[in-house]
Amino acid sequence: MLLAYLPFMVYPYDFFRTGVAALWVVIFLWTTVAFFWFTRRFFPGRSLKHAFFLWLVVWAQAVWTLTKLPPYWILSVFFLMPVSFLENTAKPGHVRIFSKKVLKYFFERALAGIGFAGFVVLLEFIREIGEKRLGIHAFEQPAGLLLVISAVAFLWKNQPYSGRTQSQSIEAELGAGPSKPPLMKRKQRPGKG
Amino acid sequence: MYFLVISLAFLMAVRGAKPAPLQNPAEGLRRVWREAIDFFLTASLTLGLWTLATAFEKIQPGARENAILGLGITAYLLSQYQKKTDVFFLTVFAGVFMISSRQGDFFHGILLAGTVSGGIAVFQTCFLGLRYKLLFSDVPGSMKGWPILCLLAGAIALVLRGLGNLVF
């Protein structure tokens, strides 16, 4: 997602237009995912990759003709697509959403799209505040946004309670320490057996 | 244009051609500059073919209307011929579009292509060098990965912008 945002740094748009561009990327991503999922049988082997890039270029031309939006957004779409897409190795698993089975592939793409749109809006909001309200010149160049992305990546990587169970987290907070394993308990009673 | 150079350079540094092991910086440098030369040649050839297409009066209107389609297909075919990565094709495409939108003549486009590829190479060289130095530094585990990579990219972008303002 970080890489998918980088082409957006090139667009010299205000907050609203950047949001619209991000929304377009998300809609196009979902359309592309659906199109190639249901037509994948027609693209055996490496033809899927060629068809995908031709699809991107054709739509880049169409969008440019209609809206004059520079085609950097196709890089964002490319980086939002899963790695397995071009190898056509997506396995159809399912997840339950509101008691309904949904293909895991679509669920993950939906989350990716929503997350990307939120990420773009957040960064553009920070850029607007930093550049126009606070007058921080670093936001007039890529360095400012890259430093913000670094902070976001740091916070995302170091989420509290990530990778630990709730009980372990509570014990760590209270300073009670982990419960002793049975071996330790047996060693505390040397007189018995 | 500076935004585009930094964005493309960071993309190439992270997802470009197969990188050399960090323990072998000389090989890494060689691959970075080789990739930059390939970028320059591919972009220049694409621009040259587009200039040729717009030179003929009969096809000029169609070529101008479908510039992105033509540039994209040409860049893709050239990238596939060289067995380059998908990221290489996309960066060439983005770079060529940006250069062609400047509406200069062919030689001006070649100069811009050289500037973009040079900027990408300088960025990747600095990036590789800093990553190599980090091997000998005690980077906290919480900073490893994307946080430190984005921090390096931001610092390099700052320095290069300052140097660019001094020189130009």
Side-chain angles (χ1 to χ4, degrees):
Chain A
M1 190 170 298
L2 297 180
L3 295 179
Y5 174 75
L6 290 180
F8 271 76
M9 291 202 303
V10 185
Y11 288 132
Y13 297 152
D14 56 7
F15 180 78
F16 177 72
R17 291 180 72 182
T18 304
V20 171
L23 190 64
W24 161 247
V25 168
V26 172
I27 291 171
F28 183 78
L29 171 71
W30 291 343
T31 307
T32 302
V33 164
F35 175 78
F36 282 99
W37 179 264
F38 292 111
T39 59
R40 62 186 187 279
R41 69 185 69 183
F42 299 116
F43 302 111
R46 286 180 59 84
S47 63
L48 175 67
K49 181 178 162 182
H50 302 316
F52 172 65
F53 285 111
L54 183 63
W55 167 272
L56 286 182
V57 170
V58 167
W59 274 100
Q61 174 66 60
V63 171
W64 168 257
T65 303
L66 292 171
T67 66
K68 295 299 177 208
L69 178 68
Y72 308 125
W73 56 271
I74 66 172
L75 279 87
S76 299
V77 174
F78 172 78
F79 285 113
L80 286 172
M81 295 299 285
V83 175
S84 61
F85 172 75
L86 291 178
E87 281 89 24
N88 205 6
T89 55
K91 293 178 183 175
H94 290 83
V95 292
R96 283 198 174 275
I97 302 172
F98 300 117
S99 306
K100 286 187 180 177
K101 267 190 176 179
V102 174
L103 273 173
K104 191 177 179 182
Y105 187 73
F106 288 127
F107 179 64
E108 288 174 349
R109 301 293 80 72
L111 283 183
I114 294 169
F116 174 74
F119 186 68
V120 169
V121 167
L122 172 70
L123 282 181
E124 282 307 307
F125 180 71
I126 293 172
R127 188 185 196 175
E128 286 273 324
I129 298 290
E131 188 179 343
K132 294 181 181 171
R133 299 291 177 95
L134 301 177
I136 299 173
H137 293 293
F139 286 99
E140 294 173 4
Q141 48 180 303
L145 284 171
L146 285 169
L147 294 175
V148 172
I149 292 171
S150 174
V152 170
F154 175 79
L155 291 172
W156 182 264
K157 186 175 179 177
N158 298 282
Q159 296 175 61
Y161 311 120
S162 63
R164 296 185 289 177
T165 61
Q166 190 176 5
S167 59
Q168 287 174 334
S169 302
I170 292 172
E171 284 173 353
E173 279 191 3
L174 295 175
S179 56
K180 292 179 182 176
L183 181 61
M184 292 298 293
K185 287 182 181 173
R186 287 198 294 273
K187 280 190 176 178
Q188 286 180 354
R189 296 177 289 179
K192 296 189 180 181
Chain B
M1 181 168 164
Y2 184 68
F3 269 87
L4 186 72
V5 170
I6 295 297
S7 302
L8 296 183
F10 191 37
L11 288 175
M12 294 276 280
V14 175
R15 288 281 293 273
K18 185 180 176 183
L22 281 177
Q23 291 82 358
N24 189 1
E27 177 64 19
L29 275 177
R30 193 185 71 83
R31 290 186 189 182
V32 161
W33 284 94
R34 167 73 189 272
E35 198 77 356
I37 292 170
D38 289 341
F39 180 95
F40 170 70
L41 292 173
T42 308
S44 301
L45 188 55
T46 307
L47 284 170
L49 289 171
W50 184 75
T51 304
L52 194 64
T54 54
F56 296 100
E57 287 185 10
K58 283 189 177 178
I59 60 173
Q60 189 183 83
R64 288 195 184 278
E65 281 179 13
N66 302 294
I68 291 177
L69 189 62
L71 291 173
I73 292 174
T74 306
Y76 185 70
L77 291 174
L78 288 172
S79 302
Q80 289 296 301
Y81 177 74
Q82 298 175 81
K83 295 183 174 49
K84 293 294 186 182
T85 60
D86 303 327
V87 175
F88 179 86
F89 152 64
L90 290 169
T91 52
V92 166
F93 175 62
V96 165
F97 170 79
M98 187 270 298
I99 293 168
S100 64
S101 63
R102 297 262 167 159
Q103 295 184 349
D105 59 358
F106 174 64
F107 295 104
H108 185 236
I110 296 293
L111 187 64
L112 283 178
T115 305
V116 171
S117 55
I120 289 174
V122 168
F123 180 95
Q124 288 193 74
T125 302
C126 298
F127 195 73
L128 187 67
L130 287 173
R131 286 188 71 187
Y132 179 72
K133 289 300 287 183
L134 282 180
L135 288 177
F136 306 101
S137 307
D138 191 16
V139 177
S142 58
M143 281 295 291
K144 286 184 179 175
W146 282 109
I148 196 71
L149 290 180
C150 293
L151 197 60
L152 289 181
I156 294 169
L158 263 175
V159 170
L160 289 181
R161 180 64 177 238
L163 286 174
N165 287 339
L166 280 175
V167 172
F168 300 104

